[in-house]
Amino acid sequence: ILNVEQSPQSLHVQEGDSTNFTCSFPSSNFYALHWYRWETAKSPEALFVMTLNGDEKKKGRISATLNTKEGYSYLYIKGSQPEDSATYLCAPSNDYKLSFGAGTTVTVRA
Amino acid sequence: DAMVIQNPRYQVTQFGKPVTLSCSQTLNHNVMYWYQQKSSQAPKLLFHYYDKDFNNEADTPDNFQSRRPNTSFCFLDIRSPGLGDAAMYLCATSRDTVREKLFFGSGTQLSVL
């Protein structure tokens, strides 16, 4: 199991503002990194699966970058909306399984 | 159109009374996972099946067992629940390796009285 750190643990954002947060993981034997969004009372939903150093992926207003050499990934939310309020989980892998972080909980204030 | 279904959404059991949580999928995925999440902590993998091959994590307590009678269904059995087993239990599936995204159920929140 990998040691995965997500920071900050929580953040509050004003509607319309942009924000970003970090996932840090051991860089050795990197295989893949996943990002999931988990809204209250719903199922966690996959945002991105990233495998290559320097990867950048985008889904609407949300994007992610990956640095496998230094062991981190950033998730960006542009122009935050109330529906972006959720816990964002990252999960890197160095073998057949994912190791989840504890998540960053984002609250968007109208 | 739920693709990974977990029942029940909330489960209350008594200390020491066996309980079974269920998960079904309509995706025909090879891999099924069970995760345990205690409040605000990282989801922790308990075990997973690749088809019929069962893979137990080294630190999963013996109290936890799993069955996968066919591709669509997977069960988590807790033989003698303790207070420390109260948690959210998440079932997930994936088509193949960890380079494929996971599809999650909505979870079962287990309370132990």
Side-chain angles (χ1 to χ4, degrees):
Chain A
I1 295 179
L2 301 177
N3 183 25
V4 183
E5 294 189 10
Q6 290 191 246
S7 65
Q9 184 177 2
S10 64
L11 60 90
H12 291 78
V13 188
Q14 196 68 34
E15 182 177 359
D17 287 351
S18 297
T19 189
N20 64 84
F21 38 94
T22 310
C23 172
S24 301
F25 52 89
S27 57
S28 59
N29 301 318
F30 175 84
Y31 193 66
L33 182 126
H34 295 214
W35 280 102
Y36 291 86
R37 174 171 58 199
W38 193 1
E39 297 178 62
T40 303
K42 294 187 178 180
S43 310
E45 176 193 6
L47 290 173
F48 307 113
V49 177
M50 309 174 82
T51 57
L52 299 175
N53 183 46
D55 246 356
E56 291 189 30
K57 298 219 170 181
K58 187 175 180 182
K59 183 177 183 178
R61 293 177 292 96
I62 300 177
S63 60
T65 61
L66 176 65
N67 184 322
T68 62
K69 296 189 185 305
E70 296 183 37
Y72 64 84
S73 176
Y74 292 128
L75 194 83
Y76 300 87
I77 305 175
K78 183 179 178 181
S80 303
Q81 299 298 308
E83 59 264 30
D84 297 327
S85 296
T87 295
Y88 292 82
L89 298 169
C90 77
S93 171
N94 64 353
D95 56 14
Y96 64 89
K97 61 187 178 185
L98 299 175
S99 297
F100 279 87
T104 293
T105 298
V106 175
T107 303
V108 181
R109 296 176 292 209
Chain B
D1 296 342
M3 295 177 286
V4 182
I5 302 167
Q6 290 189 244
N7 285 307
R9 183 74 176 89
Y10 298 94
Q11 176 74 58
V12 181
T13 191
Q14 292 179 338
F15 183 94
K17 185 175 181 181
V19 65
T20 295
L21 310 182
S22 70
C23 177
S24 63
Q25 56 138 334
T26 60
L27 297 162
N28 204 34
H29 282 173
N30 287 321
V31 193
M32 295 188 78
Y33 306 84
W34 279 105
Y35 286 89
Q36 178 195 62
Q37 191 205 27
K38 298 185 179 180
S39 56
S40 300
Q41 296 181 22
K44 175 180 174 297
L45 181 64
L46 296 173
F47 22 60
H48 77 280
Y49 279 91
Y50 191 105
D51 197 10
K52 295 180 181 179
D53 293 333
F54 176 69
N55 297 274
N56 196 30
E57 293 303 301
D59 56 353
T60 298
D62 293 339
N63 199 22
F64 290 79
Q65 305 286 321
S66 185
R67 296 170 283 135
R68 189 179 185 184
N70 53 53
T71 301
S72 301
F73 286 88
C74 195
F75 300 97
L76 170 61
D77 301 309
I78 308 176
R79 290 190 297 187
S80 182
L83 299 179
D85 297 327
M88 170 70 79
Y89 290 88
L90 290 165
C91 173
T93 73
S94 67
R95 196 165 63 92
D96 199 345
T97 70
V98 293
R99 292 191 172 181
E100 305 274 349
K101 65 182 179 181
L102 270 59
F103 291 79
F104 282 89
S106 54
T108 294
Q109 183 68 51
L110 178 69
S111 299
V112 182
L113 304 179

